[in-house]
Structure formats: structure tokens, C-alpha cells
Amino acid sequence: MSHSQAEILIIQNIQLLEQSRELLENTVEKKFFDTIDQIIKNHTQSSDEDFIGVYDFYEDETWFLPNVWSLESFDIENSKTHKNVYAYYELIHEGNNDTNYWRLSNYFSNEYDKAVFNFTFWKNSFSNYSKAAFKLFCSEQNNKFIELKKLGFQFNLDGQNWYLPIPFLNQEDVIQNYQNDTLEDALAPIKSTLDILIQAHPIFNEIVQSAKIQFSQHTEIL
């Protein structure tokens, strides 16, 4: 279809597009992201680690961490203390300079963005942090733990983070299960990616503990 043909279709169906946008953003995405949040919460809370987190991707964000990565002043019920952590996992989107307009698009085959589970540090919690030293530290850790690459993690040297892409979902499976109110059954790729993340967690825990030793005391945000 040419651009001119697509433009005509948009004009012809402008009201349908308006209605679709409202339905997508207020109903479809909410159901979809709430289901993903529940999967993440169930997976983390059923693991051997004492995970805590915020699971609210539709309204804001989803992130989680084991208790041992938090500072003493951290309180999950007090958002003002949520930056008092050494590191955490988060559900985000990774892509190139072009982005999809709707976040839901990132879970299906496309040329721009993909959903990922990301491990990152909150660098302000390390009083001896310097960009060059921390960058070198993360590079050394990436070379040390080659298992992360084997598990599918990609290392971002500039951001000093590791992320694990979630395979694209099968649209037909999602449609069928959405209609049958069994959406979770179509989200197996998210569950399997979480399994890999939990498998890699001991490595990330060792990296965090090494960072705490090397970069010394923390600075808490009260």
C-alpha cells in the first residue's frame, strides 16, 4: 500500500481511529499490562529470594529487587525512599531512535522497539562512584560472567546495564486468549524470560555485592 492510499484510508476512518485509540489505551492496554504485572509478581514472590517491588506498568512503571539490594531507609510503601537502592530489575523497552507510539506494539513483531527485563544500578547510592571507574567495573564483570551472554543478556557499556529481550508474542494466540479471557496463557514468552532472569539472579547479586565493596559507602535520599 502506498503512502497516499494509507492517507486516504486514515481520512476515511478517522472516527474509527479515535474510538480505537481510546479503547486501546483505556481497556486493552490496561488488561494486558495488569496481566503482565501479575505474572512478574507471582514469579518473583514464588522464588527463593525475598523480592519486593512496584508492579504498575499501566499507570507508571514496574520494577523489583531483593531486599538485600535496598538501603536501610528504603520503604516500599514510601515512594520518597524508592531511590535508596543499589540496583534493581525493571520492565522497559529497548530500541533504536525510532519508537512505537503505543507500548503494546513493543510486544509484537516490529522494526523499532522490544520489551526487555533490564538490570541496572542506582549509581547515586555509591559514594565513591565515578563514571570511568564504574564503567570499567561493569566491563570487567561482563567479561567475568560470560554466562550472562549465553543466557541471552545484552550488555550496554555506556549505561552500565544488562537487559534480556522478551521474544515477540504470537498475535493470533493473544487474540484467541484475549477473547476467551485467558490472556495469561498467551504470555508464555514473558514467563520463560522471567525464568531466565531468576536463573541469572545469583550472578547479578554477586555483581551488586562486589560493587558495594568496591564503591564503598552509600548516600541515602531521605
Side-chain angles (χ1 to χ4, degrees), residues 29 32-33 36 57-58 60 62 90-96 98-108 110 112-118 161 163-166 168:
E29 283 197 335
F32 190 85
F33 293 137
I36 291 178
F57 196 73
Y58 175 71
D60 190 12
T62 291
E90 59 183 344
L91 176 64
I92 61 171
H93 301 131
E94 181 72 25
N96 51 36
D98 295 318
T99 60
N100 291 310
Y101 183 80
W102 286 299
R103 294 185 297 171
L104 185 61
S105 298
N106 301 320
Y107 292 84
F108 301 102
N110 71 92
Y112 303 122
D113 285 349
K114 54 190 172 187
V116 304
F117 285 112
N118 184 52
N161 63 292
Y163 62 90
L164 182 64
I166 298 173
F168 290 130

Side-chain angles (χ1 to χ4, degrees), residues 43 89 117 147-153 164-165 167 189-204:
H43 256 66
Y89 300 111
F117 285 112
E147 183 67 18
L148 290 175
K149 185 175 182 179
K150 293 179 180 178
L151 288 172
F153 284 89
L164 182 64
I190 296 175
K191 295 180 181 180
S192 60
T193 307
L194 272 169
D195 288 337
I196 296 173
L197 180 68
I198 298 300
Q199 181 182 345
H201 175 67
I203 296 177
F204 286 119

Side-chain angles (χ1 to χ4, degrees), residues 58-69:
Y58 175 71
E59 292 287 352
D60 190 12
E61 57 189 4
T62 291
W63 53 271
F64 51 97
L65 68 154
N67 254 318
V68 294
W69 292 0

Side-chain angles (χ1 to χ4, degrees), residues 21-125:
R21 180 186 63 82
E22 183 175 351
L23 186 62
L24 171 62
E25 294 178 353
N26 296 333
T27 303
V28 177
E29 283 197 335
K30 177 171 174 51
K31 182 176 181 179
F32 190 85
F33 293 137
D34 284 353
T35 303
I36 291 178
D37 278 337
Q38 193 59 51
I39 289 173
I40 297 172
K41 187 174 183 179
N42 290 343
H43 256 66
T44 55
Q45 292 187 348
S46 63
S47 72
D48 294 333
E49 287 287 342
D50 185 17
F51 278 101
I52 50 179
V54 172
Y55 309 92
D56 191 14
F57 196 73
Y58 175 71
E59 292 287 352
D60 190 12
E61 57 189 4
T62 291
W63 53 271
F64 51 97
L65 68 154
N67 254 318
V68 294
W69 292 0
S70 63
L71 280 60
E72 289 184 6
S73 61
F74 177 86
D75 181 359
I76 194 64
E77 302 298 332
N78 183 357
S79 61
K80 293 181 179 179
T81 70
H82 283 179
K83 292 182 179 179
N84 290 341
V85 299
Y86 293 106
Y88 56 93
Y89 300 111
E90 59 183 344
L91 176 64
I92 61 171
H93 301 131
E94 181 72 25
N96 51 36
N97 292 330
D98 295 318
T99 60
N100 291 310
Y101 183 80
W102 286 299
R103 294 185 297 171
L104 185 61
S105 298
N106 301 320
Y107 292 84
F108 301 102
S109 181
N110 71 92
E111 299 177 354
Y112 303 122
D113 285 349
K114 54 190 172 187
V116 304
F117 285 112
N118 184 52
F119 165 84
T120 189
F121 290 97
W122 183 253
K123 303 177 185 73
N124 289 349
S125 292

